[in-house]
Amino acid sequence: MGGPGGAVRMWGGLQATARRVVEAQEAAAVVTTLNEWDMAAVVELRKRRKEEFKKRHGVGLGVASFFVKAAVGALKDFPRLNAEIQDDEMVLKHYYDIGIAVGAAGGLVVPVLRDADRMSFAEIEAGIKEFARKADEGTLTLEDLSGGTFTITNGGVFGSLLSTPILNPPQVAILGLHKIEERAVPVAGQVAIRSMMYVALSYDHRIVDGLEAVQFLVRVKELVEDPGNLLMEL
């Protein structure tokens, strides 16, 4: 755990996460909507560019950076999913601090990428790598874990095929990613083997309605399945 100080900080972070989970269950009207996405374009792009990316930036090109970029793009189109409820008021946020769930010794914690809309793919990947290192060493601080306007969690790295993520209040939405699996799917009237992923969006129905949630998911899906607009810097 990186020594007593690290253990204390990690325990405090896990307690804070647990409290927020309980709050979400007690206060919010949580609904989850599901979708299935074709990850073939991202998988193929990573295969082609990962070596060059690693040489240029010194960090691997993962899946998470694509989803951070796509989520930020969709949040700009659907700002209610980047809002929060304060007392009886909806507060729209015009900045994008994206929480990324990572595994720690005692469970998942959610450190935050600040101003993710201003970050490059390499900066996002480096930030996530650093969070993973600190989680492993038990040196994440409460500052690392505080704030956040929207959360992405990836159960797929642990083998999860499908789950319903729990809100991280005061945020009103969380995107759950899952394991990428090759499945037979119809493509242009033919059966093809594609790299598919189930995704889940949990949201607070007090502020986000079902139509807006589905439209947000569809927008992220469009950006991920045809990521050309995200890739100008690669």
Side-chain angles (χ1 to χ4, degrees), residues 126-221:
I128 294 172
K129 182 179 179 180
E130 176 67 5
F131 286 149
R133 181 192 67 79
K134 294 173 75 173
D136 185 59
E137 296 176 354
T139 56
L140 284 169
T141 66
L142 291 179
E143 182 178 356
D144 291 326
L145 301 167
S146 64
T149 62
F150 182 85
T151 292
I152 299 173
T153 180
N154 187 358
V157 299
F158 306 109
S160 174
L161 184 62
L162 185 62
S163 63
T164 54
I166 299 175
L167 291 184
N168 185 20
Q171 298 169 32
V172 298
I174 178 172
L175 181 66
L177 313 179
H178 300 92
K179 184 179 179 180
I180 299 174
E181 282 196 328
E182 289 190 343
R183 292 197 285 273
V185 296
V187 178
Q190 302 292 324
V191 176
I193 303 299
R194 308 287 285 187
S195 298
M196 306 298 294
M197 175 193 285
Y198 292 120
V199 296
L201 178 74
S202 293
Y203 57 96
D204 190 339
H205 205 279
R206 294 177 300 169
I207 190 170
V208 179
D209 65 29
L211 175 60
E212 192 169 25
V214 170
Q215 290 174 328
F216 171 85
L217 260 188
V218 169
R219 180 58 180 149
V220 181
K221 173 185 172 76

Side-chain angles (χ1 to χ4, degrees), residues 83-129:
E84 69 175 64
I85 295 176
Q86 293 182 3
D87 298 323
D88 294 326
E89 295 184 346
M90 176 181 67
V91 178
L92 294 176
K93 299 179 179 180
H94 300 290
Y95 57 94
Y96 304 91
D97 290 351
I98 306 299
I100 301 292
V102 297
L108 288 177
V109 290
V110 188
V112 178
L113 294 169
R114 312 287 175 184
D115 295 318
D117 56 315
R118 302 178 185 177
M119 300 178 76
S120 67
F121 275 80
E123 289 170 336
I124 292 169
E125 294 291 351
I128 294 172
K129 182 179 179 180

Side-chain angles (χ1 to χ4, degrees), residues 50-104:
K50 64 180 181 180
E51 291 186 9
E52 178 188 349
F53 188 90
K54 182 69 176 289
K55 288 179 182 178
R56 183 188 302 179
H57 302 293
V59 66
L61 177 60
V63 172
S65 53
F66 289 88
F67 282 98
V68 171
K69 287 281 190 179
V72 168
L75 289 171
K76 290 179 178 180
D77 292 336
F78 301 96
R80 283 177 180 260
L81 283 94
N82 199 52
E84 69 175 64
I85 295 176
Q86 293 182 3
D87 298 323
D88 294 326
E89 295 184 346
M90 176 181 67
V91 178
L92 294 176
K93 299 179 179 180
H94 300 290
Y95 57 94
Y96 304 91
D97 290 351
I98 306 299
I100 301 292
V102 297

